[in-house]
Amino acid sequence: MIVISLVLLSVLGSSYAGLWDLNPGKEALKHTHHSEGDVTGEGFVMVYQNINTNNLSAVEYMHGSGSFDVADIIDSQQKTGHGGYYYYQTLSTGKIVPDWKQQWTGANSVIKLTRQSDMTQSPMTFAYGTGWYASHPITYNSLLKDRTVAKSYQEGSMMLHQLEYARGFVGDMAVELNCTGPTETKDGYGLASMKLEDKVIQGTVHIAELLTNPQTLKAGSKTVKDPKTGKDKKVTVYGPSSSMKTLGVKGSLIEIDENYIGNFDIQRSMKLEVTKSRAVTMEDWLPCCMGGFFDVPDYSKANKGQIGIFDCTCRNTSISTFKPAWNGTIEKFSTDRYQKVP
């Protein structure tokens, strides 16, 4: 038996959400889909299942003649649609005061597919109806084929399992896709996973994994005002490349291509995880604390100046350094402020 270990990738990066990362032509219609089947019999089989969300897709195609025992479960959900935005503050090039910018949160969706297959190829002959076809039976003699492709467009990833020209096949497969966009308070999450266990008899198996860089950038220029001189100057800026969708293997970060011809036992597990970081809002040095000091963000409290102002440590430090003869405690200070020096 050939045993191939788990492939795991974790990527930390800026927000992936954008109009360019969608499943082409698929609108984000909120829906929940469930399908399950269990088929046993002899004859000719052709199955085509194409499951899509706004940024995920899973396609399954199978055909062949012989005996079949196949069961599968498919679940998909478009959790949210388009149109979700939030705003954050950031410092643009050449500016001192933070700008408010709009960030698209993206649509959230999942697809899960599980299948068990036991297929043996053989010629099958059938007589259809009456007349000429009754006396001239049709023979189906198709070798087995099974192809499953899982894609995540926002992450730029694809996983593939394909069986062709096989006499016999026994296999288990589990596919899971998840695309969750970032929000103003939480990072987003992307997952593409495919687990395989195959036993193929006199056939070919093709297994592939591809990860492109959906955030490939191209350099450009922009005119901004120099904050020191007030004059216009050109700076280099980077933006998304218009050819991201067509990068393919030319811009791949991961490329796996495996082919087996003959009789094989194969185990394969592939898993890709991506963290899609939310845009971080910049706070002023002295943020507005409507609810008091304890509502100020923790990272702002770390500023010694703010701690001293809001929790009175600067006053206590001053008193301890000066060492006045009068009682300087907070309790005594509020009720008996003026005491004579002994």
Side-chain angles (χ1 to χ4, degrees), residues 72-86:
D72 65 356
I73 299 175
I74 301 176
D75 287 290
S76 68
Q77 184 179 7
Q78 184 71 59
K79 297 180 180 180
T80 61
H82 299 311
Y85 293 90
Y86 67 92

Side-chain angles (χ1 to χ4, degrees), residues 143-341:
L143 296 174
L144 302 174
K145 177 169 182 174
D146 186 288
R147 176 183 172 90
T148 303
V149 184
K151 296 181 180 180
S152 178
Y153 292 86
Q154 194 169 93
E155 282 71 41
S157 67
M158 181 275 293
M159 294 178 180
L160 167 70
H161 172 265
Q162 180 168 296
L163 168 77
E164 288 188 294
Y165 315 117
R167 298 287 182 178
F169 177 72
V170 179
D172 294 333
M173 173 183 292
V175 175
E176 184 174 0
L177 300 169
N178 185 328
C179 188
T180 301
T183 67
E184 64 271 28
T185 57
K186 294 179 63 176
D187 291 338
Y189 177 67
L191 168 68
S193 172
M194 179 179 283
K195 296 181 180 179
L196 308 167
E197 187 166 351
D198 295 349
K199 181 179 180 65
V200 58
I201 300 172
Q202 297 182 32
T204 68
V205 175
H206 175 52
I207 299 172
E209 180 181 4
L210 180 68
L211 175 66
T212 63
N213 185 358
Q215 290 186 306
T216 298
L217 304 178
K218 63 178 180 180
S221 61
K222 180 180 179 181
T223 302
V224 298
K225 285 192 177 294
D226 190 322
K228 295 181 179 179
T229 63
K231 296 181 179 179
D232 290 344
K233 68 174 184 178
K234 284 191 175 183
V235 296
T236 301
V237 295
Y238 294 89
S241 170
S242 59
S243 60
M244 284 185 231
K245 291 181 180 178
T246 59
L247 281 175
V249 296
K250 294 181 180 179
S252 61
L253 300 177
I254 294 177
E255 183 181 359
I256 296 175
D257 191 351
E258 302 175 12
N259 294 277
Y260 306 95
I261 302 174
N263 303 319
F264 287 95
D265 291 340
I266 302 171
Q267 289 184 350
R268 187 66 154 120
S269 183
M270 300 178 287
K271 186 176 183 180
L272 167 72
E273 292 182 285
V274 175
T275 298
K276 295 172 279 192
S277 303
R278 67 188 186 276
V280 179
T281 297
M282 295 192 64
E283 295 281 354
D284 293 333
W285 177 83
L286 190 60
C288 180
C289 52
M290 300 298 292
F293 174 69
F294 295 103
D295 283 350
V296 175
D298 290 338
Y299 52 82
S300 290
K301 291 179 183 178
N303 188 295
K304 294 183 178 180
Q306 292 181 37
I307 291 178
I309 293 172
F310 286 102
D311 67 359
C312 298
T313 55
C314 63
R315 173 185 177 278
N316 294 336
T317 301
S318 176
I319 290 175
S320 63
T321 304
F322 180 65
K323 295 182 180 180
W326 43 271
N327 188 342
T329 62
I330 294 177
E331 295 81 4
K332 190 66 177 176
F333 189 80
S334 59
T335 57
D336 188 9
R337 187 183 308 178
Y338 304 104
Q339 293 191 24
K340 294 180 180 181
V341 177

